[in-house]
Amino acid sequence: MNISAPLLLQTLQTTGMKLVGPNVGAELEAADLIPDELRDWLVRLRLLHDVPFAYFVADTELLPAESIRWFYVDRRWTDSLVQGALSVGTVNTDDRLQLTDRYGEIRDALDTAERNVRRREGDPMLAGGAGPISGFILRSRVVSGWPALHVRAFKEEPTEGDGFDFPDNHPQRMRLLRLERLAPAVLLCLFDGIPKEVHIQEPRQGVQFGVEQTVSGSTMSATLPVRRPQTGVNDTGQFVDVHFRPGAPGVVDIQRLERNLAAKGGAGPGPNPVLDSAEYALQLIRFPYRRIYGDPDRLRPDTDVMLRPSVRYVTLANALFTAGVTPP
Amino acid sequence: MPADQVPGNGEFLLYPNIPPMLFAGDYILNATQTVSANGRTAAQQPVDEMDVHISVRSPRLVLPPDQVLSTFPPAESEGSYGSRLPQVVIRRRTLPWERVLVNRPATPALPAIPVNTPWLALVVIAEGEATLLPNVPAAETVTAGITLNGAVDADIGNCLEIRQSMVHRIFPTQKDVPLLAHARHVDINDTELMMGDDDGFLGVVVANRLPVSGRSDGVEIPVKYTACLVNLEQQWDTLLPTAPPPVLISEFVGRDLHVALSTSSMDKHLMGGVTAQTSNTARLFAPAPNTRLLADVQRDVATPVQTKTSGSFSASAVGKGIAKSEVAGAFASEKLHGGVLERFDPTLRFPVLLSWKFTSNGTATFKSLMRGLDSGLLGTKPKRDPVSDAGRLPLELVDTGHVGIAQKTRRGDSVRAWYRGPFVPHPTDDSASARIPLAHAADQLRVVIPDGREDLSLASAFEIGRLLALANPNMVAALLRWRQLHYVTVRRTTIWQNNALFLSAITGYTMTKRVGGDAATELSRAMMRTVSATPTQFLGGPRALVDAGRPLPFDGDSNTLLARAFGLPTLRGDPGTVLQTLQKTPVKVAPITERVGRVPGAAFADLDRTVLTRSLDQRLERLVTESMPRLGVEAPVSKAKGKSKSGTKGRRKTAAPQHDALDAIIERLSRASTRDDA
């Protein structure tokens, strides 16, 4: 069409045409956002997937054997990680200008995506900026010996008792961003927030029978707490020794154990204190053990310290980083 | 049947036993009837007895897989099971009590078996203590000389071959067996335990042995165990009546689990019951057969066993807890004294209904390990172990979580630098203002702190992020593609923005900040929408429904007008007469044939007609054959001029007798041409 734009414009204006256009702005905005695959990969990077372990723990002395170490995740570190990944292929000033232009938007997209990483199917998408992330590294034989440990984090101390089995949608549950074995005996866990209490529980594999073992040198002895046969609770405070058959490692003298249990009140009501096999099984049942980490001042039994600060950071930061907290 | 109580949510009920109404076996139900009548004796009115044969069947040599709900420890698993008793959960609640152990009169030496004694026991065998023989004929699954009365459920089964002495050592005693089986009623809603069971009643058999791991010189070694559910039928009396005097401690399975038995010492042991064995190991594993079996445990041992052929007992070994192995000697002794051995320590066989293997590794329990964990924030200074840390520089660790590391600068100087990973021992500031601005190179993130040393934490993070991205070609490609897409978008946007006002005005299409790749489509859509809404503005008004006719000029008398209309020069005379004359004048109408005939030259006319006829024929034939192929019209091929007609005629006869318009035309043309020729 051989027509000049101003002429046509003038024509249209004089004729007083009213044109209604389609609303296509939203689609176009989405077209240039960071691609999904790239975003997902960067989120994985932000949750420190694939990062060599030596970058987490710079020295073995920081994570001795049989230890659990709690931490907060440094956003500046993970941001630097993402910036390094984004810097790939920025050759000239134009590239860098463009990246600088878009960086804020990328970071916000990653913040939102990060919170939805371990979102359960069917849950609403979480919005908003990135909150703090905390976690722990557990280096212990419990990781290798008890695969599929249960780790539960709570925003507030749960009020339910020890026997309670916390469902996934418990209101106080805190989401886990990552729970992964980095090595056969090293477990990394990241929480979406800062929990008040964390439970680490032996995997449930059905009902188990067993004793309480004590190892001394090259021998092993065992005891068994006596349960009240009527209630099934071991509140008697009584323990019986487990006897073994001589010459056979591990073979329990069942008969002697039964007599001892009967003598300590483990037998059910009846004329003669003898345990039948049901009462005997009741005495032997062992429930999965749960270790609670939280605030030990709360007087909850069997609780170990978790994220208790040991140093006043402000003073150190003032002393060490006043000049260098923010890079130029 | 215990059915009055139901377990609540998450609860289960335990029963000592749930014996069946009938034991497994063959039964005869015998009914007699006596009829009495006046004046007649019963003998005079006999009623035949009726025998009903009933066979109660139950697993005997093989436990069907669907009867096993679960086993603990899981089959083929490895773990720290040393404080847990293995168990098997069976779906059929009555199974452990379904068979009679042995039918024999009670004597003072062999007391009667208590009622409701299970016929099954779960025994746990460390590697080498006994042999599991697979696929043995049913009759050979029990010790020679013993027959299982009644039907067996399988032709072949597995059996455990074990020495009598080992039975005494690891099998439960006669007093233990009843305690080791119970029935369980689980909550019907407890889906994890249910797994398809219908009523929630389960039979459970527990082992009498803790599968302790091995230990040698304080080092834990894994030990393989086999758990076997054995059938004790007819062999009840091979079990110990009561347990020997117990001890409070249990040994671990040793690494060098060998018996220091020379041939001579074993002879003494067997013949005279000499207890002169001073070695601890010998106390544990006295008789010879173990030697061969226990030697298998050495499979786990990295160092090969030094075997001696000499038969003398090593004096130096006596003092140690574990004697040196003399496997070869023991082998020899077994061969030599096999017959004697068999008499004093016979080999027994027990049918194995179910067996699975697992490995026990470590003695620590979950509880003890978790309680022993050293909990603290990352950066907690560990206790230094003077032995293992000897020669190591002390860890340079400050309370912010930074550690000092050796750094070789680009100039080659060896200096110390600070490093801290992503995990820090204090809450971080996550507000937007605290986030670092974009860096384009790792060097931008190097920080020199007041003590003069560099803090390389963020620079390292940048660099490892860059390397991880580069290590992933997909991501590099995605990054570059995305960047390219951005450039394309910017360029497109720039071009379109120059015409934004025009486009907006003409189509109502509003330019956004960035123009995507589908802008052209969107624009054309907007254009179409606008055009169709107001077509007059773009395409002009619609065409009128009726076109105006030509104006007729009336500019002369009637004769003149008529003459002009007919194309004649003039018409003279009275208008009425002229009209009449015109009406009476005949109009010559030429027939179509004449026009054809008027084509110059008869040959041409004939050619025309022939060609026309033939092409029409062909078209017609093709039409007919294509549209009605099922009529089986053989497509006539016009090879020559003259044959075409006959072909057409033939077609008519078979296919379409109707005389249609096309035929009429052709016939008329034929007639006309004949006439012209004549």
Side-chain angles (χ1 to χ4, degrees):
Chain A
M1 192 151 57
N2 194 6
I3 180 168
S4 73
L7 179 64
L8 186 64
L9 187 61
Q10 197 184 1
T11 316
L12 291 172
Q13 277 166 348
T14 47
T15 50
M17 266 169 30
K18 284 199 172 62
L19 303 177
V20 181
N23 182 18
V24 292
E27 294 173 37
L28 286 176
E29 278 298 326
D32 191 33
L33 278 184
I34 185 163
D36 283 355
E37 47 169 2
L38 199 56
R39 190 195 58 207
D40 293 348
W41 188 78
L42 288 173
V43 166
R44 274 177 57 85
L45 192 64
R46 275 243 282 216
L47 294 176
L48 303 165
H49 284 273
D50 303 333
V51 176
F53 186 67
Y55 282 77
F56 299 157
V57 181
D59 195 290
T60 49
E61 281 188 56
L62 290 174
L63 188 66
E66 297 301 322
S67 69
I68 183 168
R69 290 288 181 256
W70 304 85
F71 56 77
Y72 303 86
V73 173
D74 187 3
R75 285 257 171 233
R76 297 163 69 228
W77 206 94
T78 53
D79 279 350
S80 306
L81 198 64
V82 170
Q83 289 174 9
L86 287 174
S87 77
V88 168
T90 51
V91 183
N92 52 31
T93 319
D94 250 9
D95 294 339
R96 289 178 182 154
L97 276 177
Q98 181 246 332
L99 190 61
T100 313
D101 182 37
R102 310 293 303 279
Y103 178 67
E105 169 194 319
I106 296 170
R107 197 178 62 191
D108 293 346
L110 292 184
D111 282 351
T112 309
E114 178 189 283
R115 300 200 64 197
N116 291 298
V117 167
R118 277 188 71 134
R119 188 174 56 95
R120 277 185 302 277
E121 192 88 12
D123 282 8
M125 290 288 280
L126 295 170
I133 296 180
S134 61
F136 67 80
I137 300 184
L138 172 60
R139 179 184 174 194
S140 168
R141 277 182 296 162
V142 297
V143 180
S144 53
W146 284 263
L149 290 175
H150 296 282
V151 176
R152 305 195 188 95
F154 296 91
K155 296 169 196 161
E156 299 291 334
E157 285 95 342
T159 49
E160 288 84 357
D162 278 355
F164 188 73
D165 197 10
F166 298 94
D168 277 355
N169 53 5
H170 189 273
Q172 297 302 331
R173 285 283 291 270
M174 180 175 279
R175 282 168 356 98
L176 303 182
L177 293 174
R178 215 178 144 189
L179 181 63
E180 194 172 316
R181 285 208 294 177
L182 300 178
V186 176
L187 182 77
L188 172 69
C189 180
L190 295 180
F191 307 118
D192 184 15
I194 296 171
K196 280 276 171 58
E197 192 168 298
V198 174
H199 295 179
I200 301 178
Q201 191 181 320
E202 196 174 352
R204 287 184 175 278
Q205 290 169 344
V207 179
Q208 296 179 11
F209 300 99
V211 297
E212 310 254 324
Q213 204 179 27
T214 314
V215 178
S216 60
S218 65
T219 58
M220 180 261 287
S221 61
T223 55
L224 194 64
V226 181
R227 282 203 173 87
R228 219 177 275 284
Q230 289 81 8
T231 59
V233 183
N234 52 352
D235 55 356
T236 58
Q238 302 254 43
F239 282 84
V240 294
D241 290 325
V242 177
H243 291 74
F244 294 95
R245 202 180 293 181
V251 178
V252 178
D253 190 342
I254 303 288
Q255 191 188 343
R256 178 68 60 105
L257 185 60
E258 180 252 322
R259 281 211 297 272
N260 291 347
L261 283 168
K264 291 277 178 74
N272 49 343
V274 175
L275 272 73
D276 61 24
S277 65
E279 289 160 346
Y280 174 74
L282 178 68
Q283 298 291 345
L284 279 177
I285 286 172
R286 292 280 83 87
F287 292 111
Y289 178 72
R290 173 192 300 165
R291 184 72 172 155
I292 300 172
Y293 291 94
D295 190 353
D297 301 336
R298 287 287 184 129
L299 289 180
R300 204 177 157 95
D302 209 13
T303 303
D304 207 344
V305 290
M306 189 171 58
L307 292 159
R308 186 159 66 177
S310 56
V311 67
R312 290 195 54 200
Y313 175 61
V314 180
T315 51
L316 280 160
N318 286 338
L320 289 173
F321 292 109
T322 316
V325 149
T326 310
Chain B
M1 180 170 301
D4 50 342
Q5 239 184 321
V6 182
N9 189 14
E11 294 175 355
F12 55 85
L13 301 172
L14 297 167
Y15 298 95
N17 49 53
I18 304 182
M21 297 298 173
L22 279 179
F23 290 118
D26 293 330
Y27 295 85
I28 300 173
L29 193 66
N30 182 266
T32 56
Q33 191 177 18
T34 311
V35 180
S36 63
N38 288 338
R40 298 257 182 165
T41 62
Q44 287 174 314
Q45 307 174 65
V47 179
D48 286 344
E49 291 187 357
M50 191 181 70
D51 289 347
V52 178
H53 293 260
I54 298 172
S55 180
V56 178
R57 296 167 69 180
S58 161
R60 195 171 201 181
L61 299 180
V62 176
L63 191 63
D66 61 337
Q67 285 294 325
V68 184
L69 185 69
S70 72
T71 62
F72 179 87
E76 304 296 339
S77 67
E78 179 169 350
S80 173
Y81 303 125
S83 61
R84 294 283 184 269
L85 290 169
Q87 57 162 325
V88 58
V89 183
I90 303 166
R91 284 231 164 92
R92 187 154 155 168
R93 67 185 108 159
T94 55
L95 187 68
W97 302 277
E98 267 174 6
R99 290 189 177 275
V100 181
L101 269 164
V102 60
N103 282 318
R104 57 161 173 72
T107 60
L110 300 172
I113 303 169
V115 289
N116 294 336
T117 300
W119 61 284
L120 290 169
L122 185 65
V123 296
V124 179
I125 295 149
E127 197 175 37
E129 287 175 345
T131 318
L132 185 66
L133 300 176
N135 300 333
V136 177
E140 296 174 22
T141 55
V142 288
T143 311
I146 291 177
T147 49
L148 295 178
N149 298 321
V152 291
D153 59 334
D155 295 333
I156 55 170
N158 303 337
C159 77
L160 192 69
E161 196 175 56
I162 186 167
R163 292 282 183 186
Q164 174 70 66
S165 59
M166 194 51 84
V167 170
H168 283 174
R169 197 169 299 126
I170 60 172
F171 270 47
T173 65
Q174 293 180 358
K175 299 269 188 196
D176 294 346
V177 173
L179 284 170
L180 292 172
H182 64 270
R184 189 188 289 170
H185 186 191
V186 301
D187 178 17
I188 199 90
N189 299 313
D190 192 346
T191 52
E192 187 189 337
L193 277 172
M194 286 305 297
M195 282 163 62
D197 193 84
D198 47 359
D199 58 358
F201 277 100
L202 305 161
V204 183
V205 184
V206 186
N208 67 323
R209 182 180 197 181
L210 297 170
V212 293
S213 66
R215 178 168 284 222
S216 172
D217 299 332
V219 179
E220 286 176 350
I221 48 173
V223 174
K224 285 192 176 172
Y225 281 96
T226 308
C228 299
L229 189 65
V230 296
N231 177 348
L232 298 174
E233 269 184 291
Q234 308 291 339
Q235 304 193 69
W236 175 253
D237 296 320
T238 61
L239 303 182
L240 277 179
T242 54
V247 289
L248 263 177
I249 54 167
S250 171
E251 307 272 345
F252 287 104
V253 183
R255 179 196 284 263
D256 303 316
L257 197 61
H258 328 304
V259 180
L261 282 180
S262 64
T263 48
S264 58
S265 65
M266 189 167 62
D267 283 352
K268 272 194 241 167
H269 174 73
L270 289 170
M271 298 303 178
V274 172
T275 52
Q277 289 298 329
T278 48
S279 135
N280 288 348
T281 330
R283 181 176 59 76
L284 277 172
F285 304 101
N290 304 316
T291 311
R292 176 175 60 82
L293 304 166
L294 293 169
D296 294 345
V297 180
Q298 294 158 9
R299 216 166 54 79
D300 292 331
V301 183
T303 53
V305 176
Q306 294 175 347
T307 57
K308 289 184 188 175
T309 46
S310 78
S312 66
F313 194 73
S314 160
S316 62
V318 177
K320 295 182 184 174
I322 295 153
K324 281 286 171 194
S325 162
E326 290 174 356
V327 180
F331 270 130
S333 85
E334 194 186 359
K335 261 184 198 166
L336 261 170
H337 302 280
V340 180
L341 260 178
E342 200 57 51
R343 200 179 314 149
F344 284 90
D345 193 6
T347 306
L348 304 178
R349 285 188 173 191
F350 291 91
V352 173
L353 283 88
L354 170 78
S355 70
W356 73 97
K357 290 184 187 341
F358 60 93
T359 305
S360 179
N361 191 359
T363 55
T365 63
F366 186 83
K367 190 175 178 181
S368 70
L369 283 172
M370 287 306 285
R371 280 172 168 275
L373 278 185
D374 172 17
S375 176
L377 280 164
L378 195 74
T380 305
K381 281 201 175 161
K383 295 184 235 10
R384 276 184 76 81
D385 181 357
V387 178
S388 65
D389 291 344
R392 247 181 91 100
L393 281 173
L395 176 66
E396 197 177 6
L397 174 67
V398 291
D399 289 323
T400 52
H402 288 75
V403 290
I405 52 170
Q407 185 209 358
K408 192 174 274 283
T409 64
R410 286 174 193 161
R411 290 171 46 178
D413 303 334
S414 284
V415 296
R416 301 283 292 176
W418 291 108
Y419 175 78
R420 183 178 66 178
F423 304 149
V424 300
H426 54 76
T428 51
D429 186 1
D430 293 330
S431 59
S433 59
R435 305 289 281 267
I436 54 170
L438 181 70
H440 291 295
D443 284 356
Q444 286 176 289
L445 295 169
R446 289 162 83 115
V447 184
V448 178
I449 60 168
D451 74 349
R453 284 160 68 173
E454 272 189 302
D455 176 7
L456 297 177
S457 313
L458 300 184
S460 309
F462 186 94
E463 201 58 24
I464 192 65
R466 197 173 71 86
L467 292 175
L468 284 173
L470 282 171
N472 195 337
N474 280 343
M475 285 308 118
V476 177
L479 262 173
L480 294 179
R481 206 161 47 234
W482 177 54
R483 189 160 295 143
Q484 190 184 19
L485 177 73
H486 176 79
Y487 281 125
V488 169
T489 310
V490 168
R491 184 175 160 77
R492 192 192 296 126
T493 308
T494 314
I495 293 173
W496 287 81
Q497 288 292 350
N498 290 343
N499 294 314
L501 189 60
F502 158 66
L503 288 171
S504 160
I506 194 172
T507 64
Y509 180 80
T510 317
M511 278 296 149
T512 47
K513 191 182 165 196
R514 294 190 194 104
V515 180
D518 51 353
T521 317
E522 291 299 333
L523 187 63
S524 62
R525 251 182 235 159
M527 185 82 186
M528 291 302 291
R529 217 169 284 135
T530 314
V531 166
S532 60
T534 53
T536 50
Q537 303 285 354
F538 287 88
L539 306 174
R543 185 183 157 90
L545 288 175
V546 179
D547 287 337
R550 214 164 13 108
L552 286 175
F554 284 94
D555 52 352
D557 59 351
S558 60
N559 281 351
T560 317
L561 291 175
L562 274 172
R564 201 191 297 165
F566 280 104
L568 300 172
T570 49
L571 288 172
R572 280 191 209 96
D574 177 51
T577 315
V578 169
L579 203 58
Q580 271 183 348
T581 313
L582 278 174
Q583 282 169 342
K584 284 173 186 163
T585 306
V587 177
K588 189 180 181 186
V589 179
I592 190 167
T593 50
E594 290 189 12
R595 281 195 200 159
V596 172
R598 251 185 238 128
V599 174
F604 277 115
D606 190 39
L607 190 65
D608 266 2
R609 180 174 46 77
T610 313
V611 167
L612 185 62
T613 309
R614 197 169 63 190
S615 84
L616 280 173
D617 275 352
Q618 280 173 350
R619 276 165 193 273
L620 193 65
E621 282 160 10
R622 196 188 306 148
L623 200 67
V624 171
T625 40
E626 282 174 3
S627 60
M628 294 186 289
R630 63 190 168 81
L631 288 177
V633 181
E634 72 277 21
V637 182
S638 307
K639 285 177 191 164
K641 211 164 50 166
K643 293 241 171 147
S644 66
K645 279 182 208 165
S646 68
T648 314
K649 275 177 187 167
R651 178 194 59 77
R652 276 187 198 138
K653 271 178 200 160
T654 57
Q658 280 86 12
H659 197 74
D660 58 13
L662 195 61
D663 290 328
I665 291 169
I666 294 166
E667 275 173 4
R668 207 166 58 204
L669 283 171
S670 305
R671 270 201 307 274
S673 96
T674 320
R675 199 172 54 202
D676 280 357
D677 291 344

